[in-house]
């Protein structure tokens, strides 16, 4: 059996998960290698499974990335999942299915109702690593940022800034083969008054492992079940990360469902790489 872990030239050395996955494959006698998704020399059809990993440079080239995904016969997660998941408009569908998400307004323009909040976040629906994302206290800034994204042909999202993120962070829950593996805490990344930055490359602190509450487990499962229903799938996804924040009333809200190229935080898990490799073998 042979597998490719798809990365990007600029990011393969920054992906902490890859070495653990290579080790877990070697332990099982599986041939595994890192391959760069836009390298024309790679014969993707030669692998029993191609796993999307650190392809973190796709956001400005989404069409090219989706065309590549469609061309790889044994891709995980599959092309239809990736197409759906790389544009955060999917959150609308999750909300319609009853999944609690952060209150979101789409493509707002000057004068639109944005609710009564102390702070807002404006971001594009296609993004990763907080690019083109900012936290604002002034309504004028919110309108201007949203208008700039729309003028650039993008879809904008406007949300209240969820205050608990500053102390509690986000809870990222990892599922492999549909089964919960581990969870971590991610610290806040948007600083007050900072505006739009393109160079946010870390959270300035290491993630910590976290034991999700029953309520968090319930919302994460609900989000994954809704996804299977929306996409007409009957099997759990090979990998999924459900990112949750906590509302003012203490209930969990989905901030993002990462089914494309999530950091899996394997170095901060006990046996996560082993569980993912077993799930890969079970599917390939
Ligand atoms: N409504 C919000 N309230 C608080 N923090 C937010 C909010 N939206 C985004 N953030 C912060 O910005 C980061 C990036 O936003 P996210 O929606 O996860 O997009 P991506 O990770 O794809 O860039 C989050 O990890 C979080 O720290
Ligand atoms: Mg995120």
């Amino acid at each position: 059996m042979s597998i490719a872990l798809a990365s990007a030239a600029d990011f393969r050395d920054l992906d902490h998960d890859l070495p653990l996955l290579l080790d877990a494959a070697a332990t099982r006698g599986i041939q595994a290698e890192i391959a760069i998704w836009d390298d024309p020399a790679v014969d993707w059809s030669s692998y029993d499974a191609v796993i999307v990993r650190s392809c973190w440079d796709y956001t400005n080239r989404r069409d090219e990335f989706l065309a590549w995904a469609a061309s790889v016969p044994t891709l995980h997660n599959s092309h239809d999942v990736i197409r759906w998941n790389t544009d955060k408009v999917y959150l609308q569908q999750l909300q319609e299915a009853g999944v609690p998400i952060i209150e979101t307004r789409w493509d707002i323009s000057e004068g639109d109702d944005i609710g009564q909040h102390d702070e807002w976040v404006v971001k594009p629906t296609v993004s990763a690593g907080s690019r083109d994302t900012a936290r604002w206290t002034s309504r004028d800034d919110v309108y201007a940022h949203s208008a700039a994204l729309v003028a650039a042909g993008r879809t904008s999202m406007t949300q209240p800034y969820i205050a608990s993120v500053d102390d509690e962070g986000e809870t990222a829950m990892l599922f492999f083969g549909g089964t919960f593996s581990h969870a971590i805490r991610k610290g806040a990344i948007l600083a007050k008054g900072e505006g739009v930055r393109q160079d946010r490359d870390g959270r300035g602190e290491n993630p910590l492992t976290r034991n999700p509450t029953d309520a968090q487990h319930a919302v994460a499962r609900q989000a994954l079940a809704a996804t299977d229903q929306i996409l007409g799938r009957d099997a759990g996804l090979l990998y999924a990360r459900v990112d949750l924040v906590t509302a003012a009333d203490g209930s969990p809200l989905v901030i993002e469902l990462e089914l494309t190229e999530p950091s899996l935080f394997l170095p901060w898990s006990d046996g996560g790489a082993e569980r993912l490799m077993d799930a890969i073998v079970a599917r390939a």
Side-chain angles (χ1 to χ4, degrees), residues 6 37 44 65 84 139 153 187 189 194 203 207 238 260 269:
W37 74 270
W44 299 101
F65 181 62
W84 181 75
R139 287 170 185 265
I189 196 162
E194 192 176 60
R203 289 167 201 262
L238 175 63
T260 304
S269 79

Side-chain angles (χ1 to χ4, degrees), residues 22 24-25 55 76 137 202 216 219 228 236 260 267 276:
L22 292 175
C55 304
H76 298 275
T137 49
Q216 288 174 322
V219 169
D228 280 348
T260 304
L276 176 53

Side-chain angles (χ1 to χ4, degrees), residues 46-260:
S46 69
Y47 299 102
D48 298 306
V50 176
I51 317 298
V52 178
R53 294 285 63 250
S54 25
C55 304
W56 296 327
D57 57 359
Y58 79 84
T59 54
N60 295 326
R61 314 151 66 186
R62 179 169 175 255
D63 289 344
E64 195 186 333
F65 181 62
L66 292 179
W68 168 77
S71 76
V72 180
T74 55
L75 194 72
H76 298 275
N77 286 327
S78 59
H79 166 250
D80 60 321
V81 172
I82 287 175
R83 172 176 293 280
W84 181 75
N85 182 244
T86 44
D87 187 332
K88 291 190 178 82
V89 295
Y90 68 75
L91 287 167
Q92 273 173 10
Q93 282 177 288
L94 291 182
Q95 183 172 38
E96 282 159 18
V99 178
I101 65 161
I102 301 177
E103 172 193 335
T104 305
R105 291 174 168 85
W106 310 86
D107 282 344
I108 56 137
S109 51
E110 182 79 46
D112 283 352
D113 172 25
I114 55 171
Q116 296 294 330
H117 303 289
D118 296 333
E119 294 187 82
W120 292 265
V121 172
V122 179
K123 55 190 163 185
T125 61
V126 178
S127 183
S130 314
R131 278 188 287 281
D132 299 305
T133 297
R135 167 178 181 177
W136 303 111
T137 49
S138 133
R139 287 170 185 265
D140 289 343
D141 287 337
V142 170
Y143 292 132
H145 186 181
S146 176
L149 290 172
V150 172
R154 307 178 75 174
T155 304
S156 85
M157 306 167 62
T158 300
Q159 303 177 327
Y161 186 83
I162 302 297
S164 64
V165 170
D166 285 340
D167 339 300
E168 182 189 317
E170 262 171 89
T171 300
M173 298 178 64
L174 280 305
F175 291 81
F176 299 144
T179 303
F180 175 70
S181 169
H182 59 284
I184 62 113
R185 170 198 192 273
K186 291 194 284 178
I189 196 162
L190 304 179
K192 202 171 195 160
E194 192 176 60
V196 180
R197 279 180 56 177
Q198 303 304 339
D199 59 343
R200 293 189 181 101
D201 58 356
R203 289 167 201 262
E205 57 188 297
N206 271 333
L208 299 170
T209 53
R210 175 167 267 179
N211 263 329
T213 62
D214 289 348
Q216 288 174 322
H217 274 289
V219 169
R221 295 230 153 264
Q222 194 187 353
L224 294 175
T227 299
D228 280 348
Q229 188 130 50
I230 291 163
L231 294 176
R233 304 169 42 86
D234 50 19
L237 297 151
L238 175 63
Y239 58 88
R241 196 183 80 203
V242 187
D243 289 349
L244 301 172
V245 296
T246 303
D249 69 0
S251 62
L253 301 172
V254 173
I255 176 169
E256 173 175 31
L257 185 58
E258 251 286 16
L259 310 179
T260 304

